[in-house]
Structure formats: C-alpha cells, structure tokens
Amino acid sequence: MMSIHPNPKINRLNVFGEPLASCCFDPITGYFRNGFCHISPQDIGQHTVCARMTSEFLNFSQSVGNDLITPLPEVGFVGLKPGDYWCLCMMRWVEAYEAGYAPQLKLNACHQAVLSCVPLDLLMEFSDS
C-alpha cells in the first residue's frame, strides 16, 4: 500500500467544478488508496474516472492486459467484481468507450482532469445517478 499523500495544492474538483466526492472505500481505491480519484504528477495513468465495474468491462480490461479481477494480496489488491467502484485510468475508460464496454460513472467522484479528454455531455450519458 502506498504511503504517499496527495499534494494539497493540487486541484480537487470534480467534473462539475464542485469538491471531489469519494469514489469507494471498500475496496479502497484511488492512486493514493484513499478512496478518491485525486490527480498527481506521479500518477502517469491519471486514475481520475470513478466507474462502477461490470463483468463486460472487467473482461474487456483483462483482455487488453489490465487484469482487475485477479487478487494480488502481495500489493494489497483484492480484485474487483461487478458493482465495485474503482478509479480508472482516464484513457482506459476512453478505450473501453471506443470498444463499446465503457462502465457507468459516479460523476461527482470523477476528477475535473477528465474533461481534458472527454466532454461533459458524453460523461453525462454514462452517469449512474
């Protein structure tokens, strides 16, 4: 588990310009494993999209080399199942969208950095609330 904490100077707003809501604490998600999809210069993958896992998405992700299903206890990863929320890499969500497997989103927990790649109207189409 990482011991790094997010830089307080980094913007923590969601796609609506409001304070970023938590994504999930069980399983604990986020680059910093603090339950939030915070952004950080150290996070090359930009884990900024809070998504509700589906079997279709999990299978798609596994098929393109990102296995989110298999537990890795040595690094504290329990493995995901349908219904879990998880901070995804922004480009993984875009890749899944283009392939027809994009999961629903918890928009108030998606970091505003997502808007640099995906327009809000498209994100709204995948809102789970």
Side-chain angles (χ1 to χ4, degrees):
M1 186 182 258
M2 295 187 142
S3 61
I4 303 171
H5 296 287
N7 182 335
K9 295 182 180 181
I10 294 189
N11 196 336
R12 295 184 186 174
L13 299 178
N14 65 25
V15 295
F16 302 118
E18 301 165 345
L20 190 66
S22 64
C23 181
C24 188
F25 296 108
D26 185 20
I28 191 77
T29 190
Y31 178 75
F32 296 102
R33 293 299 190 263
N34 64 1
F36 291 83
C37 299
H38 289 135
I39 193 167
S40 168
Q42 294 86 14
D43 180 11
I44 296 168
Q46 293 192 12
H47 293 80
T48 53
V49 177
C50 181
R52 183 168 32 117
M53 299 296 98
T54 63
S55 57
E56 294 82 10
F57 171 77
L58 290 168
N59 290 330
F60 166 75
S61 188
Q62 188 176 43
S63 76
V64 294
N66 187 25
D67 183 358
L68 297 173
I69 300 168
T70 305
L72 295 170
E74 62 274 16
V75 295
F77 180 68
V78 297
L80 301 177
K81 61 187 182 315
D84 286 342
Y85 282 87
W86 195 250
C87 293
L88 294 178
C89 294
M90 178 173 26
M91 293 313 295
R92 175 67 69 204
W93 188 87
V94 169
E95 181 182 32
Y97 167 75
E98 291 173 347
Y101 298 105
Q104 295 290 300
L105 304 172
K106 184 177 180 182
L107 290 179
N108 65 348
C110 291
H111 193 281
Q112 71 177 6
V114 175
L115 298 174
S116 69
C117 267
V118 184
L120 184 58
D121 60 338
L122 177 59
L123 295 173
M124 296 286 287
E125 291 178 31
F126 288 87
S127 176
D128 74 349
S129 53

